[in-house]
């Protein structure tokens, strides 16, 4: 059964959990690693160089692996050409994203 929505109505897809996090990426590092959170942004080091979108792909792949979500659930909303990025994770609430990232950062110390 199909349901038409008027402007302002929400669909089931709109109600799916979604989180946005600020990320600072250090490309060309010795290892892919989640350093931790400072000043409301998560710091990630990546071995990928910052050329031809490699660091962006590595960032989305790394976050997908750490969070246990498909790579398609991760998107860079802002900062494609910057070290500072705004990343969206579909299918997971912010509290769960923060908890998982915090757990991984603590383990890597």
């Amino acid at each position: 059964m199909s349901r038409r929505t008027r402007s302002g109505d929400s669909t089931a897809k709109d109600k799916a959990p979604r989180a946005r996090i600020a990320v600072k990426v250090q490309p060309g590092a010795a290892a892919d690693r989640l350093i931790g959170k400072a000043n409301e942004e998560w710091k990630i080091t990546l071995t990928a160089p910052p050329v031809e979108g490699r660091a962006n792909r590595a960032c989305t792949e790394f976050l997908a692996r750490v969070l246990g979500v498909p790579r398609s659930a991760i998107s860079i909303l802002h900062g494609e050409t910057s070290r500072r990025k705004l990343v969206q994770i579909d299918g997971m609430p912010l509290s769960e994203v923060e908890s998982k990232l915090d757990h991984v950062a603590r383990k890597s110390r």
Side-chain angles (χ1 to χ4, degrees), residues 12-38:
K13 184 177 178 182
D14 293 334
K15 293 180 183 178
R18 181 177 294 161
R20 291 182 178 181
I21 58 170
V23 175
K24 183 177 181 184
V25 175
Q26 179 187 336
D32 291 350
R33 192 167 151 224
L34 179 62
I35 303 299
K37 188 175 183 181

Side-chain angles (χ1 to χ4, degrees), residues 35-99:
I35 303 299
K37 188 175 183 181
N39 300 326
E40 299 303 312
E41 84 189 338
W42 290 94
K43 184 172 182 186
I44 300 172
T45 63
L46 299 169
T47 58
V51 293
E52 299 174 359
R54 288 185 191 170
N56 287 335
R57 281 191 300 279
C59 180
T60 57
E61 289 169 359
F62 178 79
L63 287 171
R65 186 172 58 248
V66 166
L67 295 170
V69 298
R71 198 175 93 207
S72 61
I74 310 285
S75 54
I76 297 173
L77 300 178
H78 183 67
E80 292 259 338
T81 60
S82 171
R83 289 175 184 244
R84 288 191 157 92
K85 303 177 185 309
L86 178 62
V87 177
Q88 180 169 292
I89 301 96
D90 293 330
M92 188 176 286
L94 181 59
S95 59
E96 188 176 349
V97 169
E98 295 271 335
S99 176

